[in-house]
Amino acid sequence: MAGNIVNINVRIVITPFVGSELARRNLYCKANVRYGATAKNVFDLYTTSPNVPTGCPMVVYIHGGYWQYLSKEESAFLAPSLNASRPDGVVFVAVDYVLASEKEHEEHASMAGIYSAMQDLLRALNVVARKLNCSAIHFIGHSAGAHLLAGMCSLDYPSDQRPWLFKLVKSLWLVSGVYELEPIRHTYVNEPLQLSSAEVEACSPVRQVEKFIRNMKNSSDAVVHIVYGEFEAPTFELESLQYFHALKKAMEETTGGAGFSVPEPVKVSGRDHFDVIDDLKNNHVLEKLPKMFGEDQTATNRTKTPTGLLGITSQNCDLREVSLRDVVNASTYIFTL
């Protein structure tokens, strides 16, 4: 049994760690940009250079680990291949968040605290995307990260902020996600989480699809991809399909249309829960990125006026005490101290 545990841990960590180390060696990194209330609410930005060409898309990765393992340090493994896929590269963002396993030292380590911090993340990413003149924001979440990504789009936001917060969102990649928390309450995973019934209700994306639609209808024809591996544990496939059908049903009942699309879920052949994200790196994301961006991929893009990363700091991305009233629907917004 001990050997099996070691093998699983190696499988989870080795590929992302090696790829992330490659990103740190070969790409420019602006590390530890603060987005929320705690020291763990930070993200790293990876680009081909400190000067980002105008119109460069942003790709955000939220890691899994059952809300108690992994970090942004192993989450940059997609950055090298995604940056190599375009002449101008991408602005890749590896996200950290508070883990439930840190509860002894961190007051925000409950599921409700982890989940609600995604509001701060979305606000901060919008500030950075506009400051760097990014053309779009694409999100990828794996396992617990897919849960948090779906949750980020299912939280309550003031109505006058939704257009600004979701306008740039062009795609969500929900990979092997957890969308219903009730089964988690009856497993070992709940030991650090200690989920309450209220948290299960509020933090289960499959129970919040109406809010998801209310928010995502402010996007510009975004595409929500639901992906899972052929050899997943049955629960992950079941929840992926249940979430898809819940979204589609609610979309059909939405007056005026949803404003985004949800294609049929993709079952990745020959992959399981751990290596499905590697296949996403090698095939699905890279194949779809040029079509999603809908941009001229020629080298002439490099002549566009670049924007530097050096002006981005924790202070000018932290929006906890800032009203967005004056920047709703703004086509360009530079957050100043």
Side-chain angles (χ1 to χ4, degrees), residues 11 41 66 100 103 108 114 117 139 148 153 164 166 216-217 225 240 245 270 282 319:
R11 197 172 184 189
N41 292 145
Y66 269 144
K103 187 166 290 187
H108 299 275
I114 298 168
F139 289 91
L148 293 177
C153 298
W164 186 83
F166 289 92
M216 285 295 292
K217 71 187 305 180
H225 301 273
S240 293
H245 289 299
N282 295 328
L319 300 185

Side-chain angles (χ1 to χ4, degrees), residues 163-211:
W164 186 83
L165 289 168
F166 289 92
K167 180 179 181 180
L168 290 181
V169 177
K170 296 297 183 183
S171 72
L172 306 181
W173 292 81
L174 302 170
V175 185
S176 302
V178 179
Y179 308 107
E180 170 59 71
L181 293 180
E182 181 59 33
I184 297 293
R185 295 182 73 185
H186 310 288
T187 69
Y188 74 93
V189 176
N190 195 40
E191 291 177 9
L193 289 169
Q194 294 296 299
L195 289 166
S196 67
S197 57
E199 285 178 315
V200 168
E201 179 64 31
C203 303
S204 291
V206 75
R207 305 188 187 200
Q208 304 294 333
V209 291
E210 290 81 8
K211 292 181 181 179

Side-chain angles (χ1 to χ4, degrees), residues 5-142:
I5 293 173
V6 170
N7 288 337
I8 289 173
N9 286 339
V10 167
R11 197 172 184 189
I12 292 173
V13 173
I14 289 297
T15 298
F17 180 83
V18 172
S20 297
E21 184 60 29
L22 184 66
R24 284 186 283 272
R25 291 183 181 183
N26 294 295
L27 296 172
Y28 180 82
C29 178
K30 179 73 174 180
N32 297 318
V33 178
R34 180 80 167 264
Y35 68 82
T38 82
K40 286 296 297 288
N41 292 145
V42 293
F43 53 74
D44 295 345
L45 297 165
Y46 292 87
T47 60
T48 54
S49 76
N51 296 316
V52 180
T54 294
C56 199
M58 174 181 285
V59 180
V60 182
Y61 180 74
I62 306 176
H63 71 81
Y66 269 144
W67 311 277
Q68 52 195 296
Y69 305 111
L70 302 179
S71 71
K72 66 181 176 63
E73 303 306 319
E74 304 88 32
S75 298
F77 62 99
L78 290 169
S81 54
L82 290 175
N83 269 285
S85 70
R86 305 179 71 256
D88 291 336
V90 304
V91 177
F92 184 86
V93 183
V95 177
D96 234 355
Y97 53 87
V98 175
L99 301 177
S101 53
E102 300 166 333
K103 187 166 290 187
E104 290 185 11
H105 313 288
E106 177 55 68
E107 62 177 320
H108 299 275
S110 66
M111 176 58 75
I114 298 168
Y115 203 74
S116 63
M118 294 298 104
Q119 286 186 318
D120 295 328
L121 175 63
L122 181 59
R123 291 187 174 105
L125 289 171
N126 268 280
V127 170
V128 173
R130 284 166 168 79
K131 188 163 188 175
L132 296 179
N133 295 310
C134 292
S135 59
I137 307 176
H138 302 270
F139 289 91
I140 304 170
H142 177 232

Side-chain angles (χ1 to χ4, degrees), residues 287-305:
E287 288 174 357
K288 291 181 178 292
L289 278 180
K291 294 180 181 179
M292 290 193 301
F293 292 153
E295 298 169 350
D296 179 11
Q297 301 293 301
T298 65
T300 56
N301 280 350
R302 295 186 183 277
T303 63
K304 295 178 181 178
T305 305

